[in-house]
Amino acid sequence: MKVGVHKGDPKSLEIKSAVVFVYENDFKTLSRLGRGISTKVKRALELEGFKGKEGQIERIPLPRQRVEIVYVVGLGDKKKVNTDTFRRVSALAIKRIKRDKVEKVLFVLPRGTKNKPFQAVAEGVVLGSYSFDKYKEKKEEERFEVKEVLIQDVDKEAVNRGVVIAEAQNYARDLVNEPGNVINPITLAEEAKKLAKEHKLQCKVYDEKQIQDMEMLALWSVGKGSATPPRLIHLTYKPKGKAKDRIVLVGKGLTFDSGGLNIKPGDYMRTMKMDKSGACAVLGIMKVIAQLKPNVEVHGIIGAAENMPSGTAYRPDDIIRAKNGKHIEIDNTDAEGRVTLADVLSYASELKPSRIIDMATLTGACMVALGEYTAGLFTNSEDFAEEIKEVAKETGERVWELPMDDDRLRKKIKKGPADVVNTGGRYGGAITAAMFLEEFVGEGIKWVHLDIAGPAWSKEDYGYYTQGGTGFGVRTCVEYIMRLDK
Ligand code: BES
Ligand code: MN
Ligand code: ZN
């Protein structure tokens, strides 16, 4: 699908279908198609009782007119509309257009719409066209793709940027949706190498032997029960000129989480192929950064492992020395994400970045606290957290900060024979997990941890998401990094 821009009079365009966005009870956008069409459409809308509530779509055929079909799409109450509304509604529009087998369409936005919504419309269109059906035999008529979307009078650069970002988010979704028999630590590392080659990034992969030589025994322990050994993946983007900053993105890459010896019950094990979502988001972000080329040095680091029960698996009671010298006691092998990330965060800290963002499907407790659609945000730096929260509002990725200052709660991971234990009990489980991670972040580095256990996976189709992996985290991290270059 091509997403482009059309400038000037829409009447000059040979196009049979148009999508027109209107606010609730305010259909002024229609006049952009000319008086004649506008009057006819408004009359039809009145007959249908169309109000323009968010996501409401009305298809109006116009026999013997230049534009034969107008889709009027509601944005909802003008006072409540934000950037993400444009993203969601554009996705719903493209899903409908696809279903109706329209090949070429013009999108018309309300007058006075700004740059960010332009980008969001492009993102919505690309995200909304996504499907993961490579393992399904498709009938001829199911194979339809929209060929071209033109957006009326918008900034070309904003649209192109939206397309690049959304395509990378779809790439992340594809990877998340691949099952554990296809993506394991080794094939994930191969994918990273392929990405690096395509986009001229540096890529270094460390195998299980090198991981042990580097004293990353926490990462190694988590992976050692699997027939497929763990990998540490390190992608680097360096700008041509002098970098304004250096940032590291860390992703949890559990290609499958069975729980290990503390094996999960069947119902909970289902969908655990998505436990690599943080890693997939990191790959998506690196893909965008390589194309948008900001003057910022960006590292993407992934701890890839498969958590399996076996005779070589790590066990409850094990005490493991992590890369930074701290000892971890294993209480529960199913709390493997934090053990993996302990070493990855230590490794990341040695690069001496100003900031680290980690993304991890870390705890079910975070979903209990915030619901499935919001990521937990944890930090050692209030101003860094504020920046991310501000960006996330723009990108429509919901985040909510949970507190890290409860020293009584912190004591729960500081029990037992080692420096830290890998669980902190039932209450505040997302917070104690984050506190555990904090033990491995280097002195003076600003750090934000996003627990994406909920929003990384969607149980249903909603807005620009379809059932499955969402690619959550790509848009926010990209936007944040691009702002570091301003
Ligand atoms: N990968 C899971 C967390 C998870 C749960 C992600 C549901 C997405 C959906 C993680 O490794 C895990 O198993 N966490 C345990 C921790 C517990 C043993 C302390 C959990 O949340 O139950
Ligand atoms: Mn687990
Ligand atoms: Zn896990």
Side-chain angles (χ1 to χ4, degrees), residues 336-355:
E336 84 299 333
R338 66 199 77 178
V339 180
T340 307
L341 291 182
D343 275 344
V344 186
L345 287 168
S346 305
Y347 176 92
S349 298
E350 287 180 5
L351 299 169
K352 299 266 172 265
S354 71
R355 295 172 177 80

Side-chain angles (χ1 to χ4, degrees), residues 311-376:
T312 60
Y314 79 137
R315 351 163 163 59
D317 292 351
D318 280 2
I319 297 175
I320 303 161
R321 186 177 187 275
K323 182 171 174 56
N324 73 347
K326 290 193 186 179
H327 284 87
I328 301 168
E329 186 196 21
I330 303 303
D331 171 61
N332 188 318
T333 61
D334 197 11
E336 84 299 333
R338 66 199 77 178
V339 180
T340 307
L341 291 182
D343 275 344
V344 186
L345 287 168
S346 305
Y347 176 92
S349 298
E350 287 180 5
L351 299 169
K352 299 266 172 265
S354 71
R355 295 172 177 80
I356 297 176
I357 302 174
D358 82 68
M359 285 169 287
T361 46
L362 204 65
T363 66
C366 196
M367 302 165 74
V368 173
L370 299 175
E372 320 145 72
Y373 313 120
T374 303

Side-chain angles (χ1 to χ4, degrees), residues 169 172-173 277-278 281 359 373-375 396-399 450 452 455-457 465 469-476:
Q169 186 173 345
R173 292 161 96 177
S277 298
M359 285 169 287
Y373 313 120
T374 303
E397 296 188 312
R398 298 179 55 88
V399 301
L450 296 176
I452 58 172
W457 185 262
Y465 290 138
T470 60
F472 187 98
V474 171
R475 294 202 307 273
T476 301

Side-chain angles (χ1 to χ4, degrees), residues 250-320:
V250 164
K252 171 177 172 181
L254 264 289
T255 59
F256 189 72
D257 178 13
S258 71
L261 288 174
N262 292 102
I263 198 160
K264 287 179 187 289
D267 285 354
Y268 289 85
M269 204 185 294
R270 196 79 162 96
T271 74
M272 276 303 133
K273 66 174 182 180
M274 61 75 92
D275 214 18
K276 59 182 178 311
S277 298
C280 301
V282 168
L283 292 177
I285 296 158
M286 296 308 288
K287 184 175 161 80
V288 182
I289 292 305
Q291 293 172 81
L292 299 185
K293 300 186 170 56
N295 282 307
V296 180
E297 186 178 317
V298 186
H299 297 261
I301 307 178
I302 292 166
E306 186 182 42
N307 188 20
M308 293 296 246
S310 79
T312 60
Y314 79 137
R315 351 163 163 59
D317 292 351
D318 280 2
I319 297 175
I320 303 161

